[in-house]
Amino acid sequence: MKLFGRSSRKQATDPSLGLLTQDRHGWSGSVAGPDKTQRIWLRIDGTDDAPNESIGRAVLVCLGNYASLSAPLSRALFSLWQPYLDEPLWGDECPTSPEMLWAQLQLEGVEVQRSCEIVLVYAFKGEVWPEAVFSVQVDGTDVKPLSLED
């Protein structure tokens, strides 16, 4: 809210993540995606203080290792998708393998939870299923499927 031309939101500049804005749930901003051609949203769950530099480094390490994580990421994402295989939602393009699903998804954002766990958030490219949101947790080279919500 602005009062007399001033914003009540705090802002901080992190050396790794850039400009972050505080809201009632934490801090938000954007970072360069793994391919460096697009920006993805960043959400750091709740503290009153600006996130420390170790959080920024952890996010950048995760995104820097993204290419080497593609196989475990695609398997984790597909495990979330498997319950939908019995009921194909659309014709021939319905993904039936981790590779097919991986080709149809894009990384939308990164969430750092209060416990400092990093969660990557994916959505289908285009309008295939615009409200579907896949979440996977990344800890070093370990990838854990979390949820598929629509």
Side-chain angles (χ1 to χ4, degrees):
M1 172 166 107
K2 285 190 172 190
L3 184 62
F4 304 112
R6 296 172 63 178
S7 175
S8 61
R9 291 182 168 183
K10 291 184 194 176
Q11 291 188 325
T13 302
D14 181 270
S16 300
L17 303 174
L19 182 65
L20 300 172
T21 302
Q22 186 183 34
D23 60 28
R24 63 183 192 179
H25 300 290
W27 295 83
S28 60
S30 66
V31 294
D35 65 1
K36 308 290 187 228
T37 62
Q38 70 175 39
R39 299 206 50 91
I40 57 175
W41 58 260
L42 170 68
R43 177 99 191 107
I44 302 169
D45 282 344
T47 66
D48 288 334
D49 298 325
N52 62 41
E53 290 182 29
S54 65
I55 290 175
R57 284 193 300 273
V59 168
L60 293 184
V61 165
C62 179
L63 294 175
N65 292 334
Y66 192 79
S68 66
L69 292 172
S70 64
L73 284 168
S74 66
R75 287 190 301 270
L77 291 162
F78 191 71
S79 73
L80 296 169
W81 177 251
Q82 279 182 308
Y84 295 91
L85 287 176
D86 293 338
E87 301 173 25
L89 301 173
W90 59 91
D92 295 336
E93 294 182 26
C94 186
T96 57
S97 71
E99 298 77 20
M100 283 180 71
L101 181 64
W102 182 251
Q104 293 181 12
L105 296 177
Q106 64 187 13
L107 179 63
E108 294 284 322
V110 177
E111 181 178 323
V112 182
Q113 298 177 336
R114 289 178 192 251
S115 57
C116 292
E117 296 169 330
I118 295 176
V119 174
L120 301 180
V121 178
Y122 292 83
F124 280 104
K125 296 173 184 173
E127 295 296 318
V128 171
W129 185 9
E131 61 276 352
V133 176
F134 294 76
S135 298
V136 295
Q137 179 184 330
V138 177
D139 183 8
T141 58
D142 294 328
V143 178
K144 175 183 169 186
L146 293 179
S147 66
L148 170 55
E149 300 174 9
D150 63 351

